[in-house]
Amino acid sequence: MAKKIVNTNQRPAQAAKPKQEAIADPTPAMDPTLPAWLSDFKIHAIIIGLLAFLFYINTAQNEYALDDTIVIVKNKDVYEGFAGLPHIMTHDAYDNYYALFNSSNQLAGGRYRPLSVATFAIEQQFLGTIPASKVDSVVANAGGGGPQEKKLIKDMHVHHFFGVLWFTLSMVVLLYFLRYVVFKKNPLMALLAAVIFVIHPIHTEVVANVKSRDEVLSLLFICLTYIFAFKYEEQSDKKEKRWMLVMGILSFVLAFLSKEYAVGMIILMPLAFYLFNKYSLSQSIKASLPYFVVMGLYMLLRLQIIAPMSKDSETDILNNPYALASHSEQLATKISTTFNYLRLLVFPHPLSADYSYNTIPYKDFTDIIVWISLAVHIWLFRMFFYYLKRRSVLCFAIGFYLVNLLLICNIIFNIGGTMGERLIYHSSVGFAIAVAYFLYLGMEKIKPAATGRMALAGLMVVLVVLCGFKVIERNENWTSDKTLFFHDINVAPNSVLVNADVASSLVNMAEGEKDSTKALDDIRKGIHYFDRAIDIDPAFVSGYLNRGMAFFKLKQPDSAYYNLCKVRDLYPRYPKLSEMFFNVGVNFYQQKRYREAISVWQATLQMDPNNTLARNALAVMAQQGMR
């Protein structure tokens, strides 16, 4: 039997690969019967731009409020314009403010967010800078009235106006990101999501408080990072690919320099490639690698710049709101607080600028809200993986919400505060995507189709009008510290800071009051609110200091001295404390209470042996034989 000849040049037959099932995009494509203008980017951009601008242009009349004082009003780098940029880029955003109180980093993790502060300095360069020789004096007296105060307020109007422009630009970029990355086949869904985000009242703090420009810039550059990263993947021309990679990395760097939220991209960037480009997990990670390298370099830079948190801040209830809670209470309160964000996203009322101690009381695991919050967020995690298998846009919506929430809910990172409406800004992109998705599906289920479209259009008009009233009204609350906290004291009556700020506003009002009776009444009302703040936080240094100054203005030196002694005991290195002690001694002297005056001046020298005023006053008293 003849042997079969084997062809050695022939490759062995390979088993046929199973055919990979195509993954359908579960996001419904836009109805082709809809008018063409409903998919036109230019028209959508005009709609979004006008909404953003018109909703917030009334903030241009506002002054400074809340953290504007820390980042702008008391920041000499901003007043120096271009000259202040090197220090801004290499130091904590609050570095100059801490220096005013002989202190260092007071917040966990620090605040390295130089980009927004740099924009304030650049704007100030054209508004008029202050020479280095005078800047310390200007900063020390900022907020104290006079011609410099008028210029400061005028400059703040400009900072507000540019803030509105930045927000408007960022919303147009958000729209493009939603169209180009998230809703590729349905530009109408992208428009719905962008409108919902723009009009949401919870974002008023981000735009109306100039300091919060860091939130706006962060989201802007995160969106640009996505856009350039996806364009890089789709380009075939090598030159264009390099350009897209450079722009993507630059956007990512600027996102980090705006605020730390960009760290969430370590999860969200591969997730986007997996969901929207239909990449495998390994392909998604590979496409994200250049951005992971940038993230690592940023972390190294940040470690070099941010100083460790000062030890006394760890027990300060205003910088560590959970300092007085047990471990069980801490966890329960953090879990329940995450539910507050969802509640405000669904129904944004009432809004508050402050959620510091004791606005949100400590909770334990007997509280039903803790378990509701836990159940809701466990369900969201389950839905994330459910939609992940289906590569649904809802997976990205939930992921974007949860990842950014984990960065600010205190469960993983201590952020130095309980909660804040500005902190949900990034997460609310996920909320807007999900709402837009379900609104569109709801429209499609209503028959006939024309009725569904009319119902959706009518609903959106109602939402825009209602949110418009709420946003514009809330913007006016942000006109100044006085208007903001006089409103918010009704929302957060148990907040240390709200009570203290109302008190300070009342005492400051007395300065310009022509009616002496009214002025004294304002000071007494201010002392009442200082009392409430100190009752809530018995270690509230600023409360004792300002209450002491209020008693000094009432010419009640005994009470003033008591409060200054509390400041000395709690924070002995408080700036110019010895000068305040000396002035209280003068108040005693004017009332011919010489023994008390001598005692206070002696205490002044114990704190500051170089205080020549106290030494000279004691010498005069000795010469006159007063004891």
Side-chain angles (χ1 to χ4, degrees), residues 491-512:
V491 180
N494 295 320
S495 165
V496 172
L497 293 181
V498 174
N499 278 284
D501 207 281
V502 169
S504 296
S505 297
L506 286 164
V507 173
N508 291 336
M509 284 166 54
E511 292 286 338

Side-chain angles (χ1 to χ4, degrees), residues 318 496-497 500 530 533-534 537-546 567 570:
L318 296 180
V496 172
L497 293 181
F530 280 131
I534 292 169
D537 178 16
F540 185 32
V541 175
S542 295
Y544 288 112
L545 178 77
N546 291 314
V567 176
L570 292 166

Side-chain angles (χ1 to χ4, degrees), residues 357-410:
Y357 187 82
N358 185 36
T359 306
I360 301 176
Y362 294 151
K363 292 181 171 57
D364 56 38
F365 282 97
T366 62
D367 194 311
I368 188 63
I369 296 298
V370 177
W371 292 103
I372 292 175
S373 179
L374 192 60
V376 168
H377 287 91
I378 289 174
W379 177 79
L380 284 175
F381 272 103
R382 288 189 63 185
M383 288 299 99
F384 171 82
F385 290 105
Y386 173 84
Y387 288 117
L388 180 65
K389 294 177 182 179
R390 290 154 180 77
R391 302 205 186 200
S392 168
V393 68
L394 289 176
C395 174
F396 187 75
I398 296 171
F400 208 94
Y401 179 83
L402 290 177
V403 167
N404 285 293
L405 180 68
L406 284 172
L407 297 176
I408 55 93
C409 70
N410 284 301

Side-chain angles (χ1 to χ4, degrees), residues 225 229 232-233 245 248-249 252 256 265-271 273 279-298:
T225 302
Y232 171 83
E233 294 298 313
L245 181 61
I249 288 175
F252 199 42
F256 270 118
M265 298 280 275
I266 195 170
I267 295 173
L268 295 174
M269 179 70 85
L271 180 65
F273 284 129
Y279 286 0
S280 66
L281 179 59
S282 60
Q283 286 176 317
S284 301
I285 294 173
K286 183 179 179 182
S288 307
L289 283 177
Y291 301 95
F292 294 169
V293 172
V294 172
M295 190 180 303
L297 294 174
Y298 164 80

Side-chain angles (χ1 to χ4, degrees), residues 427-596:
S427 282
S428 61
V429 172
F431 175 82
I433 291 171
V435 172
Y437 182 90
F438 287 115
L439 284 178
Y440 189 90
L441 290 187
M443 177 194 74
E444 286 199 323
K445 289 185 177 182
I446 298 176
K447 302 299 179 184
T451 303
R453 296 167 192 170
M454 289 297 295
L456 179 59
L459 177 61
M460 292 307 296
V461 169
V462 171
L463 284 176
V464 168
V465 172
L466 292 178
C467 290
F469 277 114
K470 181 66 174 178
V471 168
I472 292 170
E473 179 187 47
R474 183 59 178 162
N475 289 342
E476 292 176 351
N477 294 152
W478 280 90
T479 298
S480 65
D481 273 341
K482 174 185 171 183
T483 57
L484 180 64
F485 287 101
F486 273 43
H487 173 274
D488 285 8
I489 190 65
N490 299 308
V491 180
N494 295 320
S495 165
V496 172
L497 293 181
V498 174
N499 278 284
D501 207 281
V502 169
S504 296
S505 297
L506 286 164
V507 173
N508 291 336
M509 284 166 54
E511 292 286 338
E513 182 60 59
K514 294 180 180 179
D515 184 340
S516 59
T517 303
K518 177 67 168 59
L520 292 174
D521 187 52
D522 284 342
I523 295 174
R524 293 189 186 99
K525 286 180 180 178
I527 290 172
H528 166 70
Y529 282 103
F530 280 131
D531 291 344
R532 288 175 59 177
I534 292 169
D535 285 343
I536 298 168
D537 178 16
F540 185 32
V541 175
S542 295
Y544 288 112
L545 178 77
N546 291 314
R547 188 172 68 174
M549 291 298 95
F551 278 120
F552 177 79
K553 291 177 181 180
L554 290 177
K555 299 189 183 304
Q556 296 180 21
D558 293 283
S559 296
Y561 183 58
Y562 167 81
N563 280 274
L564 291 183
C565 286
K566 293 291 291 186
V567 176
R568 179 193 60 193
D569 296 341
L570 292 166
Y571 195 70
R573 63 179 185 277
Y574 197 96
K576 300 183 178 180
L577 185 59
S578 66
E579 295 178 20
M580 299 176 198
F581 266 76
F582 172 78
N583 290 331
V584 171
V586 172
N587 207 322
F588 276 120
Y589 180 83
Q590 291 170 341
Q591 296 181 11
K592 298 183 179 180
R593 298 173 62 185
Y594 303 125
R595 182 175 298 176
E596 288 90 342

Side-chain angles (χ1 to χ4, degrees), residues 170-345:
S170 70
M171 291 302 95
V172 174
V173 172
L174 173 66
L175 170 69
Y176 189 86
F177 157 70
L178 292 170
R179 287 172 59 105
Y180 184 72
V181 176
V182 181
F183 295 114
K184 291 183 178 181
K185 297 179 181 179
N186 202 320
L188 183 55
M189 269 195 189
L191 176 63
L192 288 173
V195 169
I196 290 164
F197 187 89
V198 168
I199 67 174
H200 204 297
I202 203 172
H203 299 151
T204 48
E205 178 177 354
V206 170
V207 188
N209 188 206
V210 178
K211 171 266 170 193
S212 291
R213 190 182 297 179
D214 51 3
E215 307 278 351
V216 174
L217 295 178
S218 172
L219 184 58
L220 166 64
F221 289 111
I222 284 174
C223 289
L224 286 173
T225 302
Y226 274 116
I227 291 166
F228 288 119
F230 273 69
K231 284 184 178 293
Y232 171 83
E233 294 298 313
E234 294 177 4
Q235 282 290 339
S236 56
D237 182 86
K238 291 185 177 180
K239 185 176 180 181
E240 285 295 321
K241 284 181 77 72
R242 283 196 298 269
W243 175 244
M244 292 302 147
L245 181 61
V246 169
M247 293 302 296
I249 288 175
L250 176 61
S251 297
F252 199 42
V253 170
L254 293 175
F256 270 118
L257 295 180
S258 300
K259 202 167 182 179
E260 299 85 350
Y261 289 109
V263 74
M265 298 280 275
I266 195 170
I267 295 173
L268 295 174
M269 179 70 85
L271 180 65
F273 284 129
Y274 179 81
L275 294 174
F276 305 126
N277 275 11
K278 304 300 183 285
Y279 286 0
S280 66
L281 179 59
S282 60
Q283 286 176 317
S284 301
I285 294 173
K286 183 179 179 182
S288 307
L289 283 177
Y291 301 95
F292 294 169
V293 172
V294 172
M295 190 180 303
L297 294 174
Y298 164 80
M299 292 301 180
L300 291 174
L301 173 66
R302 200 177 190 284
L303 288 172
Q304 295 297 316
I305 289 175
I306 297 298
M309 183 179 179
S310 60
K311 292 182 179 180
D312 57 346
S313 296
E314 295 176 3
T315 56
D316 185 347
I317 199 68
L318 296 180
N319 294 320
N320 180 9
Y322 299 105
L324 303 179
S326 67
H327 292 299
S328 176
E329 287 175 328
Q330 288 184 32
L331 182 58
T333 308
K334 291 171 184 178
I335 291 172
S336 68
T337 301
T338 59
F339 189 71
N340 291 347
Y341 286 119
L342 268 178
R343 180 183 60 80
L344 286 174
L345 283 171

